[in-house]
Amino acid sequence: MRRLARETWPVPSQLVLPMFVREGISEAVPISSMPGVMQHTVDSLKRAAADAAAAGVGGVMLFGVPAVRDAEGSGADDPNGILNVATRALIEEVGDALVVQTDLCLDEFTDHGHCGVLTPSGAVDNDRTLERYTAMGLAQAEAGSHLLGLSGMMDGQVLAVRAALEGAGFTDTVIMAYSAKYAGAFYGPFREAVDSQLVGDRRTYQLDPANGREGLREALLDVEEGADIVMVKPALPYLDVLADVRAAVDVPVWAYQVSGEYAMVEAAAAHGWIDRRRAVLESITSIRRAGADAVLTYWATEAAQWLREEL
């Protein structure tokens, strides 16, 4: 009876698996703060993506970890850079089975770890960064990416990338905007995953965790600029923002269950303090219940298998 009356039931196709591919390694490298998550080689990335497809996962979101960085993040739009090489490999391997998505941000590629180009004083230069984002977006579209995840939180980034795509004829490339992305405390393990060079924080361009209405306003602006999908990140600490955004926009709304959320559950489960499977599925269900049409989660493949068992 409970199953018959259940209001929210996630399905595998609503899950997106974030993945890391690292240049210059010969085998996959475990990420110590995210048990079970790896920095992949291109070959191991293809195998893991094939496993996700077999489990029924809806898509993968790809992050690149280059061997060399510079102040401009030059590797981001290099056709032979690790992210674009891996994108082409995944399109060939699973492009008919999964939505292959790419992170569009400079932080993995800069030697200072910020999401944009810096001024001489060390501030992020919004307009110069938009120029880099448009070059990066075109490179990703040319590599075959189905969806660009604009995660840098620069003002006007959706409008700039949309204009560049349209001008180059990439009219079918989807833009997903990280609209309500908060400068919170839940990103720590991700910094290890991408070998972040960041010193300090990103509070000058990511949102204040205390501001719910600001997240909604950013989502509305991104829809106005042409975003096909808007994102709330992190997920569980911002379910109120997620619900407000879902009620206000008429495009799909996604949420990112970030590295800190993942690590907390894994750590508690490793100590036997919580039931791991139940906690994972309950957290994903709560994000869907709050209004997310899809959830980015590092448990995507495993959770998809569990969900198929329960259907």
Side-chain angles (χ1 to χ4, degrees):
M1 187 65 187
R2 287 171 67 89
R3 183 174 64 180
L4 182 64
R6 193 174 194 186
E7 299 173 14
T8 306
W9 200 308
V11 296
S13 61
Q14 297 164 341
L15 304 179
V16 176
L17 176 66
M19 306 181 77
F20 305 98
V21 58
R22 182 168 184 169
E23 189 173 28
I25 58 175
S26 57
E27 60 183 21
V29 177
I31 299 168
S32 63
S33 56
M34 300 175 68
V37 181
M38 314 290 283
Q39 291 177 331
H40 286 285
T41 66
V42 173
D43 286 340
S44 68
L45 182 81
K46 292 193 294 184
R47 291 192 294 270
D51 290 342
V57 169
V60 294
M61 175 62 78
L62 188 56
F63 297 86
V65 185
V68 178
R69 297 174 168 91
D70 60 29
E72 300 283 323
S74 300
D77 58 331
D78 182 351
N80 296 315
I82 183 61
L83 183 56
N84 296 317
V85 168
T87 299
R88 290 193 294 270
L90 282 195
I91 289 293
E92 182 177 350
E93 185 76 14
V94 295
D96 292 332
L98 292 170
V99 178
V100 176
Q101 309 165 32
T102 45
D103 179 61
L104 199 161
C105 190
L106 291 177
D107 60 322
E108 297 104 290
F109 297 92
T110 56
D111 56 11
H112 47 73
H114 275 288
C115 297
V117 180
L118 302 184
T119 66
S121 67
V124 175
D125 188 324
N126 191 95
D127 291 350
R128 285 183 61 211
T129 298
L130 294 185
E131 295 175 6
R132 297 293 299 125
Y133 283 6
T134 57
M136 190 176 184
L138 290 174
Q140 292 181 358
E142 289 166 357
S145 177
H146 299 137
L147 179 151
L148 311 183
L150 277 59
S151 64
M153 290 297 290
M154 296 296 119
D155 292 339
Q157 62 183 13
V158 173
L159 188 63
V161 174
R162 171 64 71 198
L165 292 175
E166 297 286 339
F170 293 109
T171 56
D172 293 332
T173 304
V174 176
I175 289 179
M176 187 266 289
Y178 286 57
S179 301
K181 183 178 181 181
Y182 285 85
F186 291 88
Y187 301 127
F190 181 89
R191 304 278 166 82
E192 178 192 352
V194 298
D195 189 26
S196 174
Q197 306 300 298
L198 181 68
V199 176
D201 58 53
R202 298 180 174 130
R203 288 185 293 175
T204 60
Y205 47 98
Q206 293 180 357
L207 303 184
D208 184 342
N211 293 356
R213 292 191 300 273
E214 186 178 12
L216 174 58
R217 185 164 65 250
E218 291 286 351
L220 292 171
L221 285 170
D222 285 341
V223 172
E224 189 176 315
E225 290 184 11
D228 301 295
I229 302 165
V230 294
M231 169 81 85
V232 175
K233 179 183 181 182
L236 285 176
Y238 299 93
L239 294 182
D240 58 326
V241 179
L242 174 59
D244 288 345
V245 171
R246 174 64 286 165
V249 303
D250 57 2
V251 300
V253 179
W254 292 7
Y256 197 142
Q257 191 172 40
V258 300
S259 60
E261 299 174 65
Y262 176 90
M264 289 190 299
V265 171
E266 289 291 341
H271 283 83
W273 296 335
I274 60 174
D275 182 312
R276 179 175 178 272
R277 174 168 170 164
R278 288 185 61 195
V280 169
L281 292 181
E282 183 176 338
S283 65
I284 292 172
T285 300
S286 72
I287 298 166
R288 285 279 295 115
R289 188 188 66 240
D293 298 293
V295 181
L296 277 74
T297 175
Y298 299 99
W299 288 300
T301 300
E302 191 173 17
Q305 294 166 343
W306 291 338
L307 291 169
R308 291 173 71 176
E309 292 172 8
E310 295 188 4
L311 289 175

